[in-house]
PDB file of all heavy atoms in Angstrom:
ATOM      1  N   GLY A  14    -195.768 148.787  55.937  1.00  0.00           N
ATOM      2  CA  GLY A  14    -195.239 149.512  57.089  1.00  0.00           C
ATOM      3  C   GLY A  14    -194.764 148.560  58.163  1.00  0.00           C
ATOM      4  O   GLY A  14    -194.808 147.338  57.997  1.00  0.00           O
ATOM      5  N   ASP A  15    -194.344 149.160  59.264  1.00  0.00           N
ATOM      6  CA  ASP A  15    -193.819 148.396  60.396  1.00  0.00           C
ATOM      7  C   ASP A  15    -194.996 147.922  61.256  1.00  0.00           C
ATOM      8  O   ASP A  15    -195.788 148.746  61.739  1.00  0.00           O
ATOM      9  CB  ASP A  15    -192.903 149.340  61.201  1.00  0.00           C
ATOM     10  CG  ASP A  15    -192.260 148.634  62.375  1.00  0.00           C
ATOM     11  OD1 ASP A  15    -192.726 147.539  62.753  1.00  0.00           O
ATOM     12  OD2 ASP A  15    -191.300 149.194  62.917  1.00  0.00           O
ATOM     13  N   CYS A  16    -195.100 146.630  61.465  1.00  0.00           N
ATOM     14  CA  CYS A  16    -196.277 146.120  62.197  1.00  0.00           C
ATOM     15  C   CYS A  16    -196.304 146.619  63.637  1.00  0.00           C
ATOM     16  O   CYS A  16    -197.369 146.688  64.247  1.00  0.00           O
ATOM     17  CB  CYS A  16    -196.376 144.602  62.111  1.00  0.00           C
ATOM     18  SG  CYS A  16    -195.026 143.724  62.868  1.00  0.00           S
ATOM     19  N   ASN A  17    -195.151 146.984  64.181  1.00  0.00           N
ATOM     20  CA  ASN A  17    -195.140 147.573  65.529  1.00  0.00           C
ATOM     21  C   ASN A  17    -196.082 148.767  65.612  1.00  0.00           C
ATOM     22  O   ASN A  17    -196.790 148.948  66.597  1.00  0.00           O
ATOM     23  CB  ASN A  17    -193.724 148.066  65.874  1.00  0.00           C
ATOM     24  CG  ASN A  17    -192.864 146.949  66.410  1.00  0.00           C
ATOM     25  OD1 ASN A  17    -193.182 146.366  67.433  1.00  0.00           O
ATOM     26  ND2 ASN A  17    -191.796 146.643  65.689  1.00  0.00           N
ATOM     27  N   THR A  33    -199.107 133.929  61.394  1.00  0.00           N
ATOM     28  CA  THR A  33    -197.933 134.618  60.878  1.00  0.00           C
ATOM     29  C   THR A  33    -196.647 133.848  61.117  1.00  0.00           C
ATOM     30  O   THR A  33    -196.587 132.961  61.975  1.00  0.00           O
ATOM     31  CB  THR A  33    -197.824 136.022  61.530  1.00  0.00           C
ATOM     32  OG1 THR A  33    -196.942 136.812  60.755  1.00  0.00           O
ATOM     33  CG2 THR A  33    -197.357 135.969  62.973  1.00  0.00           C
ATOM     34  N   SER A  34    -195.665 134.217  60.338  1.00  0.00           N
ATOM     35  CA  SER A  34    -194.329 133.670  60.489  1.00  0.00           C
ATOM     36  C   SER A  34    -193.369 134.860  60.542  1.00  0.00           C
ATOM     37  O   SER A  34    -192.987 135.388  59.507  1.00  0.00           O
ATOM     38  CB  SER A  34    -194.040 132.768  59.289  1.00  0.00           C
ATOM     39  OG  SER A  34    -192.746 132.290  59.353  1.00  0.00           O
ATOM     40  N   PRO A  35    -193.010 135.278  61.746  1.00  0.00           N
ATOM     41  CA  PRO A  35    -192.097 136.430  61.844  1.00  0.00           C
ATOM     42  C   PRO A  35    -190.724 136.054  61.304  1.00  0.00           C
ATOM     43  O   PRO A  35    -190.398 134.865  61.213  1.00  0.00           O
ATOM     44  CB  PRO A  35    -192.013 136.673  63.363  1.00  0.00           C
ATOM     45  CG  PRO A  35    -193.116 135.876  63.981  1.00  0.00           C
ATOM     46  CD  PRO A  35    -193.414 134.754  63.053  1.00  0.00           C
ATOM     47  N   PRO A  36    -189.899 137.044  60.971  1.00  0.00           N
ATOM     48  CA  PRO A  36    -188.536 136.719  60.539  1.00  0.00           C
ATOM     49  C   PRO A  36    -187.857 135.877  61.612  1.00  0.00           C
ATOM     50  O   PRO A  36    -188.024 136.140  62.804  1.00  0.00           O
ATOM     51  CB  PRO A  36    -187.873 138.093  60.426  1.00  0.00           C
ATOM     52  CG  PRO A  36    -188.989 139.069  60.289  1.00  0.00           C
ATOM     53  CD  PRO A  36    -190.147 138.489  61.025  1.00  0.00           C
ATOM     54  N   TYR A  37    -187.102 134.868  61.191  1.00  0.00           N
ATOM     55  CA  TYR A  37    -186.420 134.018  62.164  1.00  0.00           C
ATOM     56  C   TYR A  37    -185.193 134.741  62.704  1.00  0.00           C
ATOM     57  O   TYR A  37    -184.670 135.647  62.064  1.00  0.00           O
ATOM     58  CB  TYR A  37    -186.005 132.688  61.513  1.00  0.00           C
ATOM     59  CG  TYR A  37    -187.162 131.822  61.074  1.00  0.00           C
ATOM     60  CD1 TYR A  37    -186.928 130.608  60.422  1.00  0.00           C
ATOM     61  CD2 TYR A  37    -188.480 132.198  61.293  1.00  0.00           C
ATOM     62  CE1 TYR A  37    -187.984 129.803  60.002  1.00  0.00           C
ATOM     63  CE2 TYR A  37    -189.539 131.398  60.878  1.00  0.00           C
ATOM     64  CZ  TYR A  37    -189.284 130.207  60.226  1.00  0.00           C
ATOM     65  OH  TYR A  37    -190.325 129.417  59.818  1.00  0.00           O
ATOM     66  N   ARG A  41    -181.833 135.754  58.037  1.00  0.00           N
ATOM     67  CA  ARG A  41    -181.559 136.483  56.802  1.00  0.00           C
ATOM     68  C   ARG A  41    -181.831 137.957  57.009  1.00  0.00           C
ATOM     69  O   ARG A  41    -182.583 138.341  57.903  1.00  0.00           O
ATOM     70  CB  ARG A  41    -182.395 135.955  55.625  1.00  0.00           C
ATOM     71  CG  ARG A  41    -183.862 135.835  55.873  1.00  0.00           C
ATOM     72  CD  ARG A  41    -184.574 135.272  54.665  1.00  0.00           C
ATOM     73  NE  ARG A  41    -184.077 133.978  54.262  1.00  0.00           N
ATOM     74  CZ  ARG A  41    -184.490 132.832  54.784  1.00  0.00           C
ATOM     75  NH1 ARG A  41    -185.401 132.833  55.729  1.00  0.00           N
ATOM     76  NH2 ARG A  41    -183.999 131.689  54.356  1.00  0.00           N
ATOM     77  N   TYR A  43    -183.620 141.007  55.785  1.00  0.00           N
ATOM     78  CA  TYR A  43    -184.691 141.437  54.885  1.00  0.00           C
ATOM     79  C   TYR A  43    -184.480 142.891  54.480  1.00  0.00           C
ATOM     80  O   TYR A  43    -185.227 143.438  53.683  1.00  0.00           O
ATOM     81  CB  TYR A  43    -186.060 141.310  55.570  1.00  0.00           C
ATOM     82  CG  TYR A  43    -186.537 139.880  55.666  1.00  0.00           C
ATOM     83  CD1 TYR A  43    -186.478 139.203  56.868  1.00  0.00           C
ATOM     84  CD2 TYR A  43    -187.050 139.217  54.558  1.00  0.00           C
ATOM     85  CE1 TYR A  43    -186.925 137.897  56.960  1.00  0.00           C
ATOM     86  CE2 TYR A  43    -187.500 137.916  54.644  1.00  0.00           C
ATOM     87  CZ  TYR A  43    -187.436 137.257  55.850  1.00  0.00           C
ATOM     88  OH  TYR A  43    -187.871 135.970  55.950  1.00  0.00           O
ATOM     89  N   GLY A  46    -183.616 146.657  58.764  1.00  0.00           N
ATOM     90  CA  GLY A  46    -183.410 146.396  60.194  1.00  0.00           C
ATOM     91  C   GLY A  46    -184.613 145.724  60.809  1.00  0.00           C
ATOM     92  O   GLY A  46    -185.422 145.116  60.129  1.00  0.00           O
ATOM     93  N   GLY A  47    -184.716 145.871  62.122  1.00  0.00           N
ATOM     94  CA  GLY A  47    -185.901 145.345  62.808  1.00  0.00           C
ATOM     95  C   GLY A  47    -185.768 143.897  63.211  1.00  0.00           C
ATOM     96  O   GLY A  47    -184.675 143.366  63.367  1.00  0.00           O
ATOM     97  N   ILE A  48    -186.922 143.281  63.367  1.00  0.00           N
ATOM     98  CA  ILE A  48    -187.009 141.933  63.919  1.00  0.00           C
ATOM     99  C   ILE A  48    -186.124 140.938  63.154  1.00  0.00           C
ATOM    100  O   ILE A  48    -186.124 140.918  61.924  1.00  0.00           O
ATOM    101  CB  ILE A  48    -188.469 141.461  63.839  1.00  0.00           C
ATOM    102  CG1 ILE A  48    -189.360 142.407  64.623  1.00  0.00           C
ATOM    103  CG2 ILE A  48    -188.620 140.030  64.275  1.00  0.00           C
ATOM    104  CD1 ILE A  48    -189.785 141.938  65.933  1.00  0.00           C
ATOM    105  N   ILE A  64    -194.862 142.460  69.871  1.00  0.00           N
ATOM    106  CA  ILE A  64    -195.825 142.323  68.772  1.00  0.00           C
ATOM    107  C   ILE A  64    -196.931 141.342  69.153  1.00  0.00           C
ATOM    108  O   ILE A  64    -198.111 141.562  68.865  1.00  0.00           O
ATOM    109  CB  ILE A  64    -195.091 141.893  67.489  1.00  0.00           C
ATOM    110  CG1 ILE A  64    -194.281 143.085  67.000  1.00  0.00           C
ATOM    111  CG2 ILE A  64    -196.062 141.433  66.409  1.00  0.00           C
ATOM    112  CD1 ILE A  64    -193.219 142.776  66.029  1.00  0.00           C
ATOM    113  N   HIS A 266    -189.526 136.103  47.242  1.00  0.00           N
ATOM    114  CA  HIS A 266    -189.374 136.108  48.706  1.00  0.00           C
ATOM    115  C   HIS A 266    -188.606 134.867  49.161  1.00  0.00           C
ATOM    116  O   HIS A 266    -188.892 133.761  48.715  1.00  0.00           O
ATOM    117  CB  HIS A 266    -190.764 136.144  49.359  1.00  0.00           C
ATOM    118  CG  HIS A 266    -190.730 136.528  50.794  1.00  0.00           C
ATOM    119  ND1 HIS A 266    -190.328 135.660  51.772  1.00  0.00           N
ATOM    120  CD2 HIS A 266    -191.011 137.703  51.417  1.00  0.00           C
ATOM    121  CE1 HIS A 266    -190.389 136.294  52.941  1.00  0.00           C
ATOM    122  NE2 HIS A 266    -190.801 137.527  52.751  1.00  0.00           N
ATOM    123  N   ALA A 268    -188.518 133.265  52.085  1.00  0.00           N
ATOM    124  CA  ALA A 268    -188.967 132.406  53.200  1.00  0.00           C
ATOM    125  C   ALA A 268    -190.480 132.327  53.262  1.00  0.00           C
ATOM    126  O   ALA A 268    -191.096 132.841  54.186  1.00  0.00           O
ATOM    127  CB  ALA A 268    -188.427 132.977  54.517  1.00  0.00           C
ATOM    128  N   ILE A 269    -191.078 131.652  52.303  1.00  0.00           N
ATOM    129  CA  ILE A 269    -192.547 131.578  52.338  1.00  0.00           C
ATOM    130  C   ILE A 269    -192.974 130.284  53.016  1.00  0.00           C
ATOM    131  O   ILE A 269    -192.261 129.292  52.994  1.00  0.00           O
ATOM    132  CB  ILE A 269    -193.165 131.676  50.927  1.00  0.00           C
ATOM    133  CG1 ILE A 269    -192.662 130.561  50.010  1.00  0.00           C
ATOM    134  CG2 ILE A 269    -192.834 132.998  50.313  1.00  0.00           C
ATOM    135  CD1 ILE A 269    -193.233 130.679  48.622  1.00  0.00           C
ATOM    136  N   TYR A 270    -194.127 130.335  53.660  1.00  0.00           N
ATOM    137  CA  TYR A 270    -194.621 129.081  54.238  1.00  0.00           C
ATOM    138  C   TYR A 270    -195.641 128.446  53.300  1.00  0.00           C
ATOM    139  O   TYR A 270    -196.227 129.127  52.451  1.00  0.00           O
ATOM    140  CB  TYR A 270    -195.064 129.189  55.689  1.00  0.00           C
ATOM    141  CG  TYR A 270    -196.082 130.223  56.144  1.00  0.00           C
ATOM    142  CD1 TYR A 270    -197.017 130.808  55.319  1.00  0.00           C
ATOM    143  CD2 TYR A 270    -196.124 130.564  57.495  1.00  0.00           C
ATOM    144  CE1 TYR A 270    -197.945 131.717  55.811  1.00  0.00           C
ATOM    145  CE2 TYR A 270    -197.043 131.466  57.996  1.00  0.00           C
ATOM    146  CZ  TYR A 270    -197.943 132.038  57.149  1.00  0.00           C
ATOM    147  OH  TYR A 270    -198.867 132.924  57.631  1.00  0.00           O
ATOM    148  N   PRO A 271    -195.863 127.120  53.432  1.00  0.00           N
ATOM    149  CA  PRO A 271    -196.681 126.414  52.440  1.00  0.00           C
ATOM    150  C   PRO A 271    -198.159 126.795  52.484  1.00  0.00           C
ATOM    151  O   PRO A 271    -198.759 126.861  53.563  1.00  0.00           O
ATOM    152  CB  PRO A 271    -196.516 124.937  52.819  1.00  0.00           C
ATOM    153  CG  PRO A 271    -195.339 124.874  53.697  1.00  0.00           C
ATOM    154  CD  PRO A 271    -195.242 126.193  54.382  1.00  0.00           C
ATOM    155  N   ASP A 291    -202.257 138.921  59.174  1.00  0.00           N
ATOM    156  CA  ASP A 291    -200.856 138.478  59.175  1.00  0.00           C
ATOM    157  C   ASP A 291    -199.962 139.718  59.246  1.00  0.00           C
ATOM    158  O   ASP A 291    -199.847 140.466  58.272  1.00  0.00           O
ATOM    159  CB  ASP A 291    -200.547 137.660  57.910  1.00  0.00           C
ATOM    160  CG  ASP A 291    -199.138 137.064  57.959  1.00  0.00           C
ATOM    161  OD1 ASP A 291    -198.328 137.526  58.773  1.00  0.00           O
ATOM    162  OD2 ASP A 291    -198.858 136.148  57.165  1.00  0.00           O
ATOM    163  N   PRO A 292    -199.338 139.960  60.410  1.00  0.00           N
ATOM    164  CA  PRO A 292    -198.514 141.165  60.554  1.00  0.00           C
ATOM    165  C   PRO A 292    -197.148 141.082  59.867  1.00  0.00           C
ATOM    166  O   PRO A 292    -196.434 142.092  59.792  1.00  0.00           O
ATOM    167  CB  PRO A 292    -198.340 141.293  62.074  1.00  0.00           C
ATOM    168  CG  PRO A 292    -198.615 139.948  62.638  1.00  0.00           C
ATOM    169  CD  PRO A 292    -199.474 139.196  61.662  1.00  0.00           C
ATOM    170  N   PHE A 293    -196.773 139.893  59.386  1.00  0.00           N
ATOM    171  CA  PHE A 293    -195.511 139.734  58.624  1.00  0.00           C
ATOM    172  C   PHE A 293    -195.861 139.005  57.327  1.00  0.00           C
ATOM    173  O   PHE A 293    -195.517 137.841  57.129  1.00  0.00           O
ATOM    174  CB  PHE A 293    -194.492 138.904  59.424  1.00  0.00           C
ATOM    175  CG  PHE A 293    -194.068 139.512  60.735  1.00  0.00           C
ATOM    176  CD1 PHE A 293    -194.630 139.098  61.935  1.00  0.00           C
ATOM    177  CD2 PHE A 293    -193.091 140.502  60.768  1.00  0.00           C
ATOM    178  CE1 PHE A 293    -194.227 139.646  63.142  1.00  0.00           C
ATOM    179  CE2 PHE A 293    -192.678 141.064  61.978  1.00  0.00           C
ATOM    180  CZ  PHE A 293    -193.255 140.626  63.173  1.00  0.00           C
ATOM    181  N   LEU A 294    -196.556 139.704  56.438  1.00  0.00           N
ATOM    182  CA  LEU A 294    -197.216 139.023  55.318  1.00  0.00           C
ATOM    183  C   LEU A 294    -196.263 138.463  54.274  1.00  0.00           C
ATOM    184  O   LEU A 294    -196.589 137.506  53.583  1.00  0.00           O
ATOM    185  CB  LEU A 294    -198.209 139.981  54.644  1.00  0.00           C
ATOM    186  CG  LEU A 294    -199.089 139.326  53.588  1.00  0.00           C
ATOM    187  CD1 LEU A 294    -200.148 138.437  54.237  1.00  0.00           C
ATOM    188  CD2 LEU A 294    -199.750 140.367  52.704  1.00  0.00           C
ATOM    189  N   GLY A 295    -195.064 139.060  54.130  1.00  0.00           N
ATOM    190  CA  GLY A 295    -194.092 138.558  53.148  1.00  0.00           C
ATOM    191  C   GLY A 295    -194.680 138.515  51.759  1.00  0.00           C
ATOM    192  O   GLY A 295    -195.213 139.502  51.245  1.00  0.00           O
ATOM    193  N   SER A 296    -194.667 137.315  51.142  1.00  0.00           N
ATOM    194  CA  SER A 296    -195.111 137.169  49.757  1.00  0.00           C
ATOM    195  C   SER A 296    -196.631 137.046  49.633  1.00  0.00           C
ATOM    196  O   SER A 296    -197.141 136.875  48.533  1.00  0.00           O
ATOM    197  CB  SER A 296    -194.473 135.923  49.155  1.00  0.00           C
ATOM    198  OG  SER A 296    -195.031 134.774  49.772  1.00  0.00           O
ATOM    199  N   GLY A 297    -197.338 137.071  50.773  1.00  0.00           N
ATOM    200  CA  GLY A 297    -198.803 137.098  50.707  1.00  0.00           C
ATOM    201  C   GLY A 297    -199.496 135.756  50.872  1.00  0.00           C
ATOM    202  O   GLY A 297    -200.712 135.657  50.635  1.00  0.00           O
ATOM    203  N   THR A 298    -198.785 134.726  51.327  1.00  0.00           N
ATOM    204  CA  THR A 298    -199.398 133.383  51.414  1.00  0.00           C
ATOM    205  C   THR A 298    -200.700 133.396  52.229  1.00  0.00           C
ATOM    206  O   THR A 298    -201.714 132.849  51.797  1.00  0.00           O
ATOM    207  CB  THR A 298    -198.398 132.385  52.044  1.00  0.00           C
ATOM    208  OG1 THR A 298    -197.159 132.503  51.358  1.00  0.00           O
ATOM    209  CG2 THR A 298    -198.909 130.959  51.962  1.00  0.00           C
ATOM    210  N   THR A 299    -200.660 134.030  53.395  1.00  0.00           N
ATOM    211  CA  THR A 299    -201.858 134.045  54.253  1.00  0.00           C
ATOM    212  C   THR A 299    -203.043 134.657  53.501  1.00  0.00           C
ATOM    213  O   THR A 299    -204.164 134.128  53.553  1.00  0.00           O
ATOM    214  CB  THR A 299    -201.591 134.858  55.542  1.00  0.00           C
ATOM    215  OG1 THR A 299    -200.489 134.275  56.215  1.00  0.00           O
ATOM    216  CG2 THR A 299    -202.803 134.888  56.452  1.00  0.00           C
ATOM    217  N   ILE A 313    -199.825 142.996  56.786  1.00  0.00           N
ATOM    218  CA  ILE A 313    -198.862 144.080  57.033  1.00  0.00           C
ATOM    219  C   ILE A 313    -197.495 143.574  56.591  1.00  0.00           C
ATOM    220  O   ILE A 313    -197.120 142.441  56.917  1.00  0.00           O
ATOM    221  CB  ILE A 313    -198.810 144.464  58.542  1.00  0.00           C
ATOM    222  CG1 ILE A 313    -200.209 144.770  59.081  1.00  0.00           C
ATOM    223  CG2 ILE A 313    -197.867 145.658  58.754  1.00  0.00           C
ATOM    224  CD1 ILE A 313    -200.272 144.990  60.599  1.00  0.00           C
ATOM    225  N   GLU A 314    -196.799 144.385  55.829  1.00  0.00           N
ATOM    226  CA  GLU A 314    -195.457 143.984  55.360  1.00  0.00           C
ATOM    227  C   GLU A 314    -194.616 145.252  55.218  1.00  0.00           C
ATOM    228  O   GLU A 314    -195.050 146.235  54.639  1.00  0.00           O
ATOM    229  CB  GLU A 314    -195.573 143.222  54.025  1.00  0.00           C
ATOM    230  CG  GLU A 314    -194.288 142.989  53.273  1.00  0.00           C
ATOM    231  CD  GLU A 314    -193.185 142.273  54.062  1.00  0.00           C
ATOM    232  OE1 GLU A 314    -193.454 141.221  54.663  1.00  0.00           O
ATOM    233  OE2 GLU A 314    -192.052 142.793  54.072  1.00  0.00           O
ATOM    234  N   ILE A 315    -193.404 145.157  55.745  1.00  0.00           N
ATOM    235  CA  ILE A 315    -192.560 146.364  55.820  1.00  0.00           C
ATOM    236  C   ILE A 315    -191.922 146.719  54.472  1.00  0.00           C
ATOM    237  O   ILE A 315    -191.629 147.879  54.211  1.00  0.00           O
ATOM    238  CB  ILE A 315    -191.495 146.170  56.930  1.00  0.00           C
ATOM    239  CG1 ILE A 315    -190.962 147.507  57.432  1.00  0.00           C
ATOM    240  CG2 ILE A 315    -190.355 145.264  56.494  1.00  0.00           C
ATOM    241  CD1 ILE A 315    -190.258 147.413  58.792  1.00  0.00           C
ATOM    242  N   HIS A 316    -191.731 145.727  53.614  1.00  0.00           N
ATOM    243  CA  HIS A 316    -191.016 145.988  52.356  1.00  0.00           C
ATOM    244  C   HIS A 316    -191.975 146.116  51.181  1.00  0.00           C
ATOM    245  O   HIS A 316    -192.748 145.203  50.894  1.00  0.00           O
ATOM    246  CB  HIS A 316    -189.986 144.897  52.085  1.00  0.00           C
ATOM    247  CG  HIS A 316    -188.805 145.047  52.981  1.00  0.00           C
ATOM    248  ND1 HIS A 316    -187.945 146.106  52.880  1.00  0.00           N
ATOM    249  CD2 HIS A 316    -188.385 144.307  54.015  1.00  0.00           C
ATOM    250  CE1 HIS A 316    -187.027 146.003  53.820  1.00  0.00           C
ATOM    251  NE2 HIS A 316    -187.270 144.928  54.534  1.00  0.00           N
ATOM    252  N   TYR A 319    -192.189 143.356  48.454  1.00  0.00           N
ATOM    253  CA  TYR A 319    -192.984 142.167  48.807  1.00  0.00           C
ATOM    254  C   TYR A 319    -194.478 142.483  48.766  1.00  0.00           C
ATOM    255  O   TYR A 319    -195.291 141.652  48.385  1.00  0.00           O
ATOM    256  CB  TYR A 319    -192.598 141.646  50.197  1.00  0.00           C
ATOM    257  CG  TYR A 319    -191.169 141.151  50.303  1.00  0.00           C
ATOM    258  CD1 TYR A 319    -190.461 141.252  51.490  1.00  0.00           C
ATOM    259  CD2 TYR A 319    -190.521 140.573  49.207  1.00  0.00           C
ATOM    260  CE1 TYR A 319    -189.145 140.802  51.588  1.00  0.00           C
ATOM    261  CE2 TYR A 319    -189.213 140.127  49.292  1.00  0.00           C
ATOM    262  CZ  TYR A 319    -188.529 140.248  50.492  1.00  0.00           C
ATOM    263  OH  TYR A 319    -187.241 139.807  50.587  1.00  0.00           O
ATOM    264  N   ARG A 326    -199.835 138.483  43.361  1.00  0.00           N
ATOM    265  CA  ARG A 326    -200.107 137.054  43.605  1.00  0.00           C
ATOM    266  C   ARG A 326    -201.588 136.843  43.955  1.00  0.00           C
ATOM    267  O   ARG A 326    -202.238 135.924  43.449  1.00  0.00           O
ATOM    268  CB  ARG A 326    -199.206 136.593  44.763  1.00  0.00           C
ATOM    269  CG  ARG A 326    -199.138 135.107  44.934  1.00  0.00           C
ATOM    270  CD  ARG A 326    -198.133 134.744  46.026  1.00  0.00           C
ATOM    271  NE  ARG A 326    -198.449 133.441  46.568  1.00  0.00           N
ATOM    272  CZ  ARG A 326    -198.031 132.980  47.728  1.00  0.00           C
ATOM    273  NH1 ARG A 326    -197.258 133.724  48.506  1.00  0.00           N
ATOM    274  NH2 ARG A 326    -198.367 131.772  48.133  1.00  0.00           N
TER     275      ARG A 326
HETATM  276  C1  SAM B   1    -190.660 134.934  57.326  1.00  0.00           C
HETATM  277  S1  SAM B   1    -191.212 136.217  56.345  1.00  0.00           S
HETATM  278  C2  SAM B   1    -192.934 135.862  56.138  1.00  0.00           C
HETATM  279  C3  SAM B   1    -193.193 135.066  54.915  1.00  0.00           C
HETATM  280  C4  SAM B   1    -194.651 134.761  54.683  1.00  0.00           C
HETATM  281  N1  SAM B   1    -195.197 133.873  55.663  1.00  0.00           N
HETATM  282  C5  SAM B   1    -194.852 134.146  53.295  1.00  0.00           C
HETATM  283  O1  SAM B   1    -195.373 133.033  53.160  1.00  0.00           O
HETATM  284  O2  SAM B   1    -194.434 134.799  52.328  1.00  0.00           O
HETATM  285  C6  SAM B   1    -191.247 137.595  57.392  1.00  0.00           C
HETATM  286  C7  SAM B   1    -191.609 138.908  56.714  1.00  0.00           C
HETATM  287  O3  SAM B   1    -191.736 139.919  57.698  1.00  0.00           O
HETATM  288  C8  SAM B   1    -191.321 141.154  57.145  1.00  0.00           C
HETATM  289  N2  SAM B   1    -191.021 142.060  58.278  1.00  0.00           N
HETATM  290  C9  SAM B   1    -189.900 142.122  59.027  1.00  0.00           C
HETATM  291  N3  SAM B   1    -190.027 143.030  60.007  1.00  0.00           N
HETATM  292  C10 SAM B   1    -191.262 143.576  59.865  1.00  0.00           C
HETATM  293  C11 SAM B   1    -191.995 144.562  60.585  1.00  0.00           C
HETATM  294  N4  SAM B   1    -191.470 145.161  61.648  1.00  0.00           N
HETATM  295  N5  SAM B   1    -193.257 144.848  60.165  1.00  0.00           N
HETATM  296  C12 SAM B   1    -193.801 144.225  59.102  1.00  0.00           C
HETATM  297  N6  SAM B   1    -193.149 143.298  58.363  1.00  0.00           N
HETATM  298  C13 SAM B   1    -191.904 142.952  58.752  1.00  0.00           C
HETATM  299  C14 SAM B   1    -190.127 140.766  56.271  1.00  0.00           C
HETATM  300  O4  SAM B   1    -189.891 141.715  55.257  1.00  0.00           O
HETATM  301  C15 SAM B   1    -190.576 139.407  55.731  1.00  0.00           C
HETATM  302  O5  SAM B   1    -191.183 139.567  54.468  1.00  0.00           O
END
Side-chain angles (χ1 to χ4, degrees):
D15 182 344
C16 63
N17 276 299
T33 197
S34 176
Y37 295 178
R41 51 182 58 85
Y43 285 104
I48 301 258
I64 288 163
H266 196 284
I269 59 182
Y270 54 24
D291 186 343
F293 298 99
L294 188 73
S296 69
T298 310
T299 302
I313 307 173
E314 168 55 50
I315 202 162
H316 286 293
Y319 296 149
R326 193 175 157 199

